[in-house]
Amino acid sequence: AALFAASSSALRAGQAILIFPEGVSQPEPTLMPLRTGAARMLLAAETEGTGPVTLLPVGLMLHEPGTFRTGWAVLSMGEPVPTADCVALARTEPEEAARRLTARLGEAMRALIAMVDDRQTLRLVEHAERLWRQERGGEWDATARADWRRRATRAYRYLSHQDPARLSLLRAQMERYVKDLDEAGVRTAVLLRPPAPAVALRYAAGQLAALLGGLPLALWGLLTHALPYWLTWVAARVLRPEGDVEATYKLAAGLALYPLAWIGEAWLGWRFGGGRLLALFLVLLVPSGFFALSWSERLGRLYRETRALLYLLIDRDLARHLAERRREILADMDAAAALVPEPVLSGREEPTA
């Protein structure tokens, strides 16, 4: 009762309330059954004369949320959910009104996200989007990429009911293609042609020079942050959190362990190196950590690119074979998409209807 009174008071004051109606956190790319709390808040406020209250669905799509400085998120705002009939119904059947409005909100939210059953399927959709984008060209910002994934997952859910055999074959093609690319160390749809020797040498020389030049500061950063990083990893392994809260556990552990480790390292620096070493440690503590992270990413990228280049140089037919398979996959994707009604692709109709 206190919660509904507080929400009605906030809405009466012209404020907005952000609520995650699932009521739970979970790692899979699907919408869990919604709780009725959001609908009850709106109906309670309308019953008390606070209104009209707008129920605005919001979809949140994350790309590589666990990857530092690589992930991105798209926030999609839907059209306001119609509520007038449910408000009227709440006067006589409040429970039915709350259930009906919650179901309506769920439909609106599902239209705003890329929803599949598991993360492996979503990973295949992301690979397919990257393949499509780089093969077909055009301007692709985060919003366009998110929209493509929404349409692809709707088609996936539709075909899983209407033509599961075709979908199974297409998925198997994509899985084999991605596996072969992973083994070769190349991305989903890069231009699989070795660069000219002069270009490759200039690029390699530039990368190696940057790595060697930054090696001293990178080593300092790695050494000063290795202990708290390892302790945080051990804490996460011991606690064994679920996938959807693992990052939260690591953050909580890091907030405690990193300062403690730094204090110990600072004391050791002062104890054995005096004030100058302590001052150097404190000045370089934060910038060296970020630099070491960037340096490690550059080293990993150079390793992957070198490995992929060697594969392409050793197997001269690899690029041609992968290009043929890409074209075959794209043709099959076009054929499968043609079977899906546009109202389903656009989200106006449920894929499982």
Side-chain angles (χ1 to χ4, degrees):
L3 175 62
F4 291 118
S7 63
S8 296
S9 176
L11 292 170
R12 193 178 305 112
Q15 299 177 359
I17 298 175
L18 175 64
I19 184 171
F20 290 83
E22 291 174 288
V24 294
S25 176
Q26 56 92 24
E28 300 302 334
T30 187
L31 189 68
M32 299 293 286
L34 303 189
R35 308 288 181 88
T36 59
R40 292 179 185 277
M41 286 182 184
L42 183 144
L43 295 173
E46 291 276 8
T47 301
E48 295 176 8
T50 301
V53 178
T54 300
L55 183 60
L56 191 66
V58 177
L60 179 62
M61 292 176 56
L62 302 174
H63 173 72
E64 298 186 19
T67 306
F68 184 68
R69 299 190 305 168
T70 300
W72 48 261
V74 173
L75 196 68
S76 303
M77 314 291 288
E79 295 294 327
V81 176
T83 61
D85 59 326
C86 293
V87 171
L89 180 63
R91 300 188 182 96
T92 56
E93 300 181 61
E95 294 297 326
E96 176 61 24
R99 284 193 293 269
R100 188 176 300 180
L101 187 54
T102 300
R104 197 174 294 171
L105 174 62
E107 293 177 4
M109 293 181 65
R110 277 189 288 272
L112 297 173
I113 62 176
M115 193 172 74
V116 286
D117 293 332
D118 54 77
R119 298 204 64 81
Q120 175 59 20
T121 302
L122 182 61
R123 180 173 180 267
L124 289 176
V125 170
E126 292 172 349
H127 277 290
E129 175 262 316
R130 189 180 300 125
L131 186 153
W132 183 286
R133 171 167 47 90
Q134 296 186 353
E135 284 292 317
R136 298 293 169 86
E139 296 295 327
W140 290 76
D141 57 12
T143 301
R145 295 174 66 181
D147 185 62
W148 193 97
R149 294 179 187 185
R150 277 192 290 262
R151 293 174 66 89
T153 53
R154 291 168 192 149
Y156 184 94
R157 283 149 51 207
Y158 177 87
L159 292 171
S160 67
H161 291 273
Q162 302 297 328
D163 198 343
R166 176 189 290 269
L167 181 63
S168 179
L169 289 174
L170 181 57
R171 177 174 179 134
Q173 279 182 293
M174 197 67 200
E175 287 176 335
R176 288 195 300 270
Y177 181 74
V178 171
K179 180 181 178 181
D180 290 344
L181 289 178
D182 287 341
E183 291 177 352
V186 296
R187 298 188 65 188
T188 303
V190 295
L191 294 177
L192 298 172
R193 290 190 298 269
V199 174
L201 287 174
R202 282 198 302 270
Y203 175 77
Q207 294 295 312
L208 287 173
L211 288 169
L212 292 175
L215 182 60
L217 184 58
L219 287 176
W220 179 275
L222 291 172
L223 288 173
T224 55
H225 293 81
L227 178 61
Y229 181 89
W230 179 79
L231 290 174
T232 302
W233 177 82
V234 170
R237 290 293 298 270
V238 171
L239 295 173
R240 295 182 180 179
E242 298 292 333
D244 58 318
V245 294
E246 182 179 356
T248 303
Y249 274 66
K250 288 182 177 179
L251 178 61
L255 288 174
L257 294 174
Y258 270 79
L260 290 175
W262 290 335
I263 290 173
E265 292 172 350
W267 181 84
L268 289 174
W270 172 79
R271 177 70 176 78
F272 294 101
R276 290 185 177 180
L277 184 57
L278 175 60
L280 180 65
F281 173 81
L282 294 176
V283 168
L284 295 179
L285 180 61
V286 174
S288 67
F290 283 103
F291 184 84
L293 182 62
S294 176
W295 186 91
S296 300
E297 290 176 350
R298 182 189 291 267
L299 179 62
R301 184 170 61 250
L302 181 61
Y303 167 76
R304 291 189 299 271
E305 291 171 347
T306 302
R307 181 167 173 253
L309 179 60
L310 289 176
Y311 266 96
L312 293 173
L313 291 175
I314 294 172
D315 186 354
R316 290 288 182 172
D317 291 329
L318 177 62
R320 180 174 56 83
H321 289 157
L322 290 177
E324 291 173 354
R325 291 172 63 185
R326 286 204 310 274
R327 287 191 291 270
E328 181 181 353
I329 291 173
L330 285 174
D332 289 343
M333 288 169 59
D334 285 333
L339 301 175
V340 184
E342 178 58 32
V344 171
L345 291 173
S346 62
R348 298 194 302 273
E349 292 182 5
E350 282 292 310
T352 56

